[in-house]
Amino acid sequence: MAKPLRQLIIDWLDDNYHFGEAAQKIQSDDMSFLKGGVLDSLGFVQLVLHLENTFKIKINRKELSPKNFDSMGKILAFVTAHPDYKGPK
């Protein structure tokens, strides 16, 4: 289930920030999006809103931290563990 979600995030990054180069920018699922220049703080907010709207989940603002959202691996783990997550459609 994580592969379709990963691709959805890559596609969103390509559409909004990296214009077809997101997959090349993300060197590993553990790479920091912030330190690696994949997203800035506004980009994280936009990504969270996209995830909420796409999957009809509510992400508590207290959960918005590097612990949950600073890398592809952390995002995949957090979203797929969310109790309301049903997977990509």
Side-chain angles (χ1 to χ4, degrees), residues 5-44:
L5 175 57
R6 185 181 201 286
Q7 189 59 52
L8 183 137
I9 293 169
I10 295 284
D11 292 344
W12 183 86
L13 288 167
D14 282 341
D15 291 346
N16 293 281
Y17 286 92
H18 298 293
F19 311 105
E21 297 181 3
Q24 292 82 14
K25 285 191 165 286
I26 302 170
Q27 299 166 359
S28 78
D29 280 358
D30 296 325
M31 183 187 104
S32 168
F33 277 11
L34 206 55
K35 291 178 185 172
V38 175
L39 282 177
D40 58 15
S41 57
L42 179 59
F44 279 107

Side-chain angles (χ1 to χ4, degrees), residues 29-35 44 48 59-81:
D29 280 358
D30 296 325
M31 183 187 104
S32 168
F33 277 11
L34 206 55
K35 291 178 185 172
F44 279 107
V48 166
I59 298 171
N60 185 316
R61 297 308 180 238
K62 291 179 182 179
E63 296 171 315
L64 297 179
S65 70
K67 175 183 154 201
N68 296 322
F69 285 94
D70 190 37
S71 69
M72 180 65 78
K74 290 178 181 180
I75 294 169
L76 295 175
F78 179 83
V79 172
T80 57

